[in-house]
Amino acid sequence: MRRRRGARWLVGWWLAVLLLSLLAAPRAQAVSSFGPRATYFPQTGFWVSDPFLRFWERNGGLANFGYPISRVFYQDGLLRQYFERAVFERHDDLARAGYEVLLVRLGALATLDRRDEEPFRPVAAAPDRHCTVFAATGHRLCGGFRVYWQTRGGLAVFGYPISEEFTENGRTVQYFERARFEWHPEHRGTPHEVLLGHLGRQALAARPVPPLAVTPEARAAGPAAPLGPQPLINHPVGCAFNVFWWGDKPSQDRNERTLDRVREAGCDWIRIQGQWSQLEPEPGTYIFHPLDRIVDAARARGIHVLVTVNAPPAWALDIPPGTPANPASFERFMDVLVAHFRGRVDAWQIWNEPNIAQEAGGLIRPAGYLELLRAGSQAVRRQDPDALVVLAGMAPSSLREPTVIYDDLRYLEELLALNGGEAGRYVDVIGLHAYGAGNPPDTYWPSNPAATPGWNNAPEFYFRRAEALHTALVTAGLGHLPVWITEFGWGTASGWDAWGFGAWVSEADQAAYLVRAFQIARTEWPWVERMFIWNLNYAAISEAGHPFAAYSLLDAAGNPRPAYDAIKAMVKA
């Protein structure tokens, strides 16, 4: 009875069972390769192969894109090739829709911090015979720039205008989502009166890339295979655990033994769940002492605490579908909770996986989560300004079923776009979830899929899905915020068919994959600050064969599995 009673206080990520059962259905696998046509450009020393060559030829060629200035290489979860004026990226999953190749939105990315400048503000204007007005962005396109846009590819190639014409560095320019137009009066009357800015060169110079990616290729050798992920940096990534805990006092010794294991592994953060329904079962009735015990025990060992708050009580659900709980009630609760733990809890995560319907109030709606984020964040900043506010991590998925589960990437993009990026004002840290199903951390979809028997044909089955999520942050202007991967891991075999991929992960694999995941973050992902392994100790509170226990780094008796020993031995900086 003690275990069952204490289990009410456990971290409750049981919804992941639903998620993975929904994603288990196989899909058609579409893997393609570069070629067979290829052209060598001696001007810069790089090959361009299909489908990039086909796209280059059909959409303006040299005039629109310039020469290639890199080979094809892996970046931000996709295969890319840089040109002087553009960056091409490969989207095999969109090939049937005609979008196998897309251009990076270089114009938008280059001007993220200029949105408040006068030329980038939408204008109130009516179209006339000289100008077209685009309601999508609130900007005009006039004169020679309009002629060039209309005759050289239009929306498909350049995107919408995102500024007015204005003078920059002594030249008349206009920014578009994927380009910058420049007027060159010295070429008046020639086809070169309007030229495109070298945004591709600018983007390539702005970030580290593998040296081999920009080393000219030999014509005689022919086009090389795309270059895969490469180490670029070496920075520390904090080691942390998701920890399950007991709330009854007689079980506190088990909590303390678990926390001792955290320290012995050389990690210094834990993520636990504070379920609102248990902390305030009735309005104004607060039961904080079980959470007090685990928090105080962690701090006594020098362990920092991230508390994820979710699981609302029934009385706080007087809201329309799509809002996880009543925002006013949540804000009042968070005021009391954060004030009670001021100086003891280091970070508060506002909710867990709101892209799952059962976490989102029955209907998945980013605007509903934004209301809760606003309320919770304001309470934290009032009651404990030194505590961090962490955005909820989303459940990995590419499905779009608003009453079941919704694509984590699309959800994040929609959330961050609301009200001009309002969500970004309420968080100090971005939380992401990145699981690998049964696939090694160095594989990725679609260009390097795992050779596993299943659960390998969609991006959410790969650890490197995190790269696409981070790209969405950059696009939203939040690339400066640190990322905490608040859940990641690999499970071994369990007794549940919906988690069948665990059969392909041995205990040795689990250990190697976790260590390799930290290596990837340290050497390729400068934006990751901390990673919370899912999980340390679920096996101690579950029945035999439960899939959560298959992820646990400690066995049912609290003894280390090989993955725990590997994390303990891992270099932490």
Side-chain angles (χ1 to χ4, degrees), residues 42-63:
Q43 297 86 349
T44 54
F46 292 100
W47 288 89
V48 180
S49 305
D50 282 337
F52 286 171
L53 178 61
R54 182 168 57 249
F55 185 93
W56 189 89
E57 292 172 338
R58 292 177 178 177
N59 293 282
L62 189 62

Side-chain angles (χ1 to χ4, degrees), residues 59 163-164 193 213 332 545 549:
N59 293 282
S163 79
E164 297 294 293
E193 187 172 343
R332 178 189 49 74

Side-chain angles (χ1 to χ4, degrees), residues 474-492:
V474 172
T475 300
L478 300 179
H480 62 287
L481 291 180
V483 168
W484 293 0
I485 299 180
T486 51
E487 289 185 22
F488 81 103
W490 284 263
T492 55

Side-chain angles (χ1 to χ4, degrees), residues 73-75 210 227-231 442 444 448 464 467 516 524:
F73 68 102
Y74 181 89
Q75 186 182 62
L227 184 65
Q230 301 288 307
D442 281 301
Y444 43 91
N448 184 34
R464 287 184 180 270
E467 294 168 319
R516 176 60 184 146
E524 299 178 40

Side-chain angles (χ1 to χ4, degrees), residues 270-274 291 295 305-309 345 347-349:
I270 60 170
R271 176 178 181 243
I272 58 177
Q273 192 174 96
L291 189 56
V295 168
V305 179
L306 165 63
V307 175
T308 300
V309 183
V345 169
W348 297 94
Q349 187 170 36

Side-chain angles (χ1 to χ4, degrees), residues 171-502:
R171 191 176 299 283
T172 299
V173 304
Q174 185 169 14
Y175 280 86
F176 296 78
E177 291 178 289
R178 297 180 174 89
R180 181 181 67 229
F181 287 13
E182 302 174 349
W183 181 48
H184 289 257
E186 69 274 20
H187 300 314
R188 190 190 304 270
T190 75
H192 308 298
E193 187 172 343
V194 175
L195 295 175
L196 300 185
H198 282 205
L199 293 187
R201 285 194 179 279
Q202 180 179 322
L204 188 61
R207 60 185 298 185
V209 298
L212 186 57
V214 292
T215 302
E217 303 172 273
R219 181 198 295 266
L227 184 65
Q230 301 288 307
L232 299 172
I233 52 164
N234 190 7
H235 79 294
V237 174
C239 169
F241 288 108
N242 282 274
V243 168
F244 290 86
W245 58 286
W246 291 262
D248 55 321
K249 187 174 182 180
S251 295
Q252 182 64 8
D253 60 332
R254 289 188 287 184
N255 288 334
E256 297 198 2
R257 286 197 299 271
T258 300
L259 294 172
D260 288 339
R261 288 294 191 183
V262 174
R263 289 305 306 168
E264 290 166 10
C267 303
D268 61 355
W269 275 78
I270 60 170
R271 176 178 181 243
I272 58 177
Q273 192 174 96
Q275 295 187 352
W276 182 8
S277 59
Q278 301 299 319
L279 297 170
E280 190 184 13
E282 299 294 337
T285 299
Y286 302 106
I287 304 176
F288 292 163
H289 55 275
L291 189 56
D292 279 320
R293 284 194 286 268
I294 184 71
V295 168
D296 291 344
R299 294 195 65 81
R301 290 162 172 77
I303 298 170
H304 299 279
V305 179
L306 165 63
V307 175
T308 300
V309 183
N310 71 328
W315 60 262
L317 298 179
D318 54 334
I319 36 82
T323 304
N326 185 296
S329 298
F330 183 62
E331 186 167 358
R332 178 189 49 74
F333 164 69
M334 288 295 291
D335 269 319
V336 177
L337 179 69
V338 177
H340 179 83
F341 285 97
R342 181 185 176 108
R344 293 189 290 155
V345 169
D346 301 272
W348 297 94
Q349 187 170 36
I350 310 301
W351 229 249
N352 180 68
E353 298 184 341
N355 65 322
I356 296 178
Q358 287 170 275
E359 286 272 19
L363 177 69
I364 300 164
R365 191 171 64 92
Y369 172 63
L370 178 61
E371 293 184 42
L372 217 62
L373 177 64
R374 181 191 303 120
S377 174
Q378 290 174 344
V380 173
R381 289 173 174 173
R382 272 194 304 271
Q383 302 300 333
D384 191 354
D386 292 330
L388 299 172
V389 179
V390 184
L391 186 74
M394 308 305 162
S397 177
S398 59
L399 299 179
R400 297 187 182 182
E401 299 291 343
T403 59
V404 183
I405 191 169
Y406 201 78
D407 185 309
D408 55 336
L409 176 58
R410 182 59 180 161
Y411 184 101
L412 185 62
E413 291 171 338
E414 292 180 9
L415 172 66
L416 299 181
L418 288 171
N419 303 336
E422 181 184 356
R425 302 201 294 269
Y426 302 131
V427 297
D428 305 299
V429 176
I430 301 297
L432 299 182
H433 290 178
Y435 285 98
N439 305 315
D442 281 301
T443 56
Y444 43 91
W445 177 261
S447 49
N448 184 34
T452 46
W455 285 282
N456 61 0
N457 55 355
E460 64 267 29
F461 301 134
Y462 293 88
F463 173 69
R464 287 184 180 270
R465 171 71 160 180
E467 294 168 319
L469 297 171
H470 180 254
T471 297
L473 299 176
V474 172
T475 300
L478 300 179
H480 62 287
L481 291 180
V483 168
W484 293 0
I485 299 180
T486 51
E487 289 185 22
F488 81 103
W490 284 263
T492 55
S494 72
W496 291 38
D497 291 341
W499 302 67
F501 50 77

Side-chain angles (χ1 to χ4, degrees), residues 13-14 17 244 492-496 499 534 538-539 541-552:
W13 284 280
W14 60 271
V17 177
F244 290 86
T492 55
S494 72
W496 291 38
W499 302 67
W534 172 262
Y538 191 87
I541 58 92
S542 71
E543 70 274 17
H546 193 286
F548 285 9
Y551 284 78
S552 180

